[in-house]
Amino acid sequence: MTQRSYQRLGEDARRNALLEATLDCLAEDGMGGASVRKIAERAGVSAGLIRYYFLSKDEMVHAAYAYLMGNLTGAAAESARMASEGPAQALAHFIAANVKHPNLSSRKVSLWATFIGRVRSGQRYAQIHRESYREFLDLLEALIHPVLTQHNLPAGPATCHSHAIALNGLIDGLWIEGSLGHGLYDPARLPRIALSAAEGILRLPNDTLTHPFAH
Amino acid sequence: MTQRSYQRLGEDARRNALLEATLDCLAEDGMGGASVRKIAERAGVSAGLIRYYFLSKDEMVHAAYAYLMGNLTGAAAESARMASEGPAQALAHFIAANVKHPNLSSRKVSLWATFIGRVRSGQRYAQIHRESYREFLDLLEALIHPVLTQHNLPAGPATCHSHAIALNGLIDGLWIEGSLGHGLYDPARLPRIALSAAEGILRLPNDTLTHPFAH
DNA sequence: CACGTTATTATACAAATGTATAGTATTCCG
DNA sequence: CGGAATACTATACATTTGTATAATAACGTG
């Protein structure tokens, strides 16, 4: 009975496992407490292995940030694609998806915030932030435009861009506070609040987004 | 010529200097890099002194968080009090103040985010967050109510509360992205975007907040 | 089944960390 | 001005940190 003392994993499998472990530790202990050793232990691996896959701990944390943001916007974009009933539904689904499970998660917000806190002084963090933010903004702008034209509202590039900025702010802010679960209100109210506010921002008739099937 | 090698400061002066130094280091290096020694050096003080004023490094960081949040909401509330032309102006000033200098600051957002990242696992952080968030929400609600009644809009407690949540999200989100200065748009556009979006959220007539003197 | 490749572990190390303690210098009060 | 109170420094210490290196075990291939 020769029990293997460890298992060799393929390049990608182990890399992802390490990134997940990094995020786990970062969510729990923050940048101050997520040490190489804790991360390795969480991944069920010896500490030395990390530097076999990454040039340094920093490089791994950067990679974990990019990995997280990819998952976040990916999930929201997915839920917009699912909605095939029309532009308003797609936008509504996209907005709602950002303030509902699984995106509404204290773990995800904690991670996001921890990384955002490094954007100012870390070039690499800033770059990842800029890219993922731009992606989100573009996505939003593309969803907004058809809805505006559908309702004969001004839909020039400048208008769409401003609206995208405002909607992005709204979504981010609600997502953050809702995820942290401070207990000051029920997070289940968030989708309705977000959609109603979005209607107002875009100057859409009431219930265009909250009850999109009536239109 | 007996040059003094150090100066004795009063309890509060030194305490505040230490808190400011803590925030400086935290903004630059995050939780991972803000060590007791760096903080002490920034404050022009020996490392040991920190534990004369605080029970532990953790306690000092917690205190720095509370200190920061007090300053943030304090500044915004101040700018609302300044506006004496009426409810709409007060609300408009409050909203705009949050997406303008000096609140629109990468340093402040970095600090805010760094702390938010710890709210999930640190009880003390969570408590400070909850308190400062509630304060902000209450402030907003009190500003919203008179504006709604002034325009004969529904202004029940539930409505005001929902609107406050939405506005808070909007403000937070714009504040964060605007402060980080990713270069995707000019932050000078933020006050107008925020006020226009706020009008929509509250279903106010156009220009009620963006040009409040016409009303 | 051997064998070479390499994914993985184990150990080592200097630097940095938070904290404890003892000593020193400043300030205030009589 | 002298001397007590204490704000402050200096040093020491055990841990933990990221990283480097050498040894080892797993796996694919012949």
Side-chain angles (χ1 to χ4, degrees):
Chain A
M1 183 186 206
T2 53
Q3 55 180 1
R4 276 163 297 189
S5 60
Y6 66 86
Q7 192 185 0
R8 277 166 93 119
L9 246 56
E11 177 95 9
D12 283 9
R14 184 68 77 193
R15 240 186 103 90
N16 278 18
L18 286 176
L19 292 180
E20 287 289 358
T22 303
L23 292 180
D24 279 350
C25 289
L26 244 26
E28 190 147 339
D29 303 323
M31 288 281 183
S35 70
V36 167
R37 282 166 177 81
K38 279 187 196 167
I39 293 170
E41 187 186 17
R42 173 91 59 156
V45 137
S46 89
L49 189 61
I50 281 176
R51 297 225 353 148
Y52 182 80
Y53 282 93
F54 301 94
L55 270 75
S56 68
K57 182 202 174 187
D58 276 357
E59 206 224 37
M60 182 171 71
V61 175
H62 289 142
Y65 182 24
Y67 177 79
L68 171 78
M69 293 313 292
N71 284 4
L72 268 183
T73 43
E78 182 73 17
S79 71
R81 259 196 306 278
M82 298 285 253
S84 53
E85 301 92 358
Q89 289 81 352
L91 178 60
H93 273 101
F94 181 82
I95 293 172
N98 276 286
V99 292
K100 273 204 307 212
H101 178 82
N103 268 23
L104 196 82
S105 129
S106 70
R107 178 179 181 272
K108 284 171 181 162
V109 163
S110 297
L111 289 168
W112 171 88
T114 299
F115 286 123
I116 285 292
R118 305 297 310 125
V119 163
R120 183 180 188 237
S121 359
Q123 295 186 317
R124 191 78 189 88
Y125 290 111
Q127 185 186 345
I128 296 168
H129 166 68
R130 198 181 317 113
E131 281 164 10
S132 63
Y133 180 60
R134 147 141 265 150
E135 190 185 342
F136 196 90
L137 219 52
D138 287 348
L139 223 52
L140 210 38
E141 219 170 317
L143 286 167
I144 289 172
H145 184 263
V147 179
L148 291 179
T149 57
Q150 193 182 33
H151 287 81
N152 295 318
L153 288 163
T159 310
C160 282
H161 195 232
S162 291
H163 282 156
I165 293 171
L167 273 190
N168 175 69
L170 176 78
I171 292 169
D172 275 8
L174 291 180
W175 173 66
I176 294 160
E177 295 300 346
S179 294
L180 287 176
H182 35 53
L184 297 178
Y185 55 82
D186 184 0
R189 292 172 52 200
L190 279 177
R192 170 164 294 267
I193 291 175
L195 291 174
S196 171
E199 284 167 2
I201 290 174
L202 301 179
R203 308 297 196 270
L204 294 169
N206 282 344
D207 298 341
T208 311
L209 296 174
T210 47
H211 301 100
F213 293 93
H215 298 262
Chain B
M1 185 186 203
T2 54
Q3 55 180 359
R4 277 162 295 190
S5 62
Y6 65 86
Q7 193 187 359
R8 278 167 91 119
L9 247 57
E11 177 97 10
D12 282 9
R14 185 67 78 193
R15 239 186 103 89
N16 277 17
L18 286 176
L19 292 181
E20 287 288 358
T22 304
L23 292 180
D24 279 350
C25 288
L26 243 27
E28 189 147 339
D29 304 324
M31 289 281 184
S35 70
V36 168
R37 282 166 178 82
K38 280 187 196 169
I39 293 170
E41 187 187 17
R42 173 92 58 157
V45 137
S46 87
L49 189 61
I50 281 176
R51 299 226 356 166
Y52 182 79
Y53 282 92
F54 301 94
L55 271 75
S56 68
K57 181 201 174 187
D58 276 357
E59 206 224 36
M60 182 172 68
V61 174
H62 289 141
Y65 182 25
Y67 177 79
L68 171 78
M69 293 314 291
N71 284 3
L72 269 182
T73 43
E78 182 72 16
S79 69
R81 259 195 307 277
M82 299 284 254
S84 53
E85 301 92 357
Q89 287 80 352
L91 179 60
H93 275 101
F94 181 81
I95 293 172
N98 276 286
V99 292
K100 273 204 307 215
H101 178 82
N103 267 23
L104 196 81
S105 130
S106 69
R107 178 178 182 271
K108 284 171 181 164
V109 163
S110 297
L111 288 168
W112 171 87
T114 298
F115 287 123
I116 286 292
R118 304 295 313 126
V119 163
R120 183 180 189 236
S121 0
Q123 295 186 316
R124 191 78 189 88
Y125 291 111
Q127 185 186 345
I128 297 168
H129 166 69
R130 198 181 315 114
E131 281 165 9
S132 63
Y133 180 60
R134 145 142 266 148
E135 191 184 342
F136 196 90
L137 219 51
D138 287 348
L139 225 52
L140 209 39
E141 218 169 316
L143 287 166
I144 289 171
H145 184 263
V147 179
L148 291 179
T149 56
Q150 193 182 32
H151 288 81
N152 295 318
L153 288 164
T159 308
C160 282
H161 195 233
S162 291
H163 281 157
I165 293 170
L167 273 189
N168 174 69
L170 177 77
I171 293 169
D172 275 9
L174 291 180
W175 173 66
I176 295 159
E177 296 299 347
S179 295
L180 287 176
H182 34 52
L184 297 178
Y185 56 82
D186 183 2
R189 293 172 53 201
L190 279 176
R192 172 164 294 267
I193 291 175
L195 290 173
S196 172
E199 283 167 4
I201 289 174
L202 301 179
R203 307 295 195 272
L204 295 168
N206 281 344
D207 299 339
T208 311
L209 296 175
T210 48
H211 301 99
F213 293 92
H215 299 262

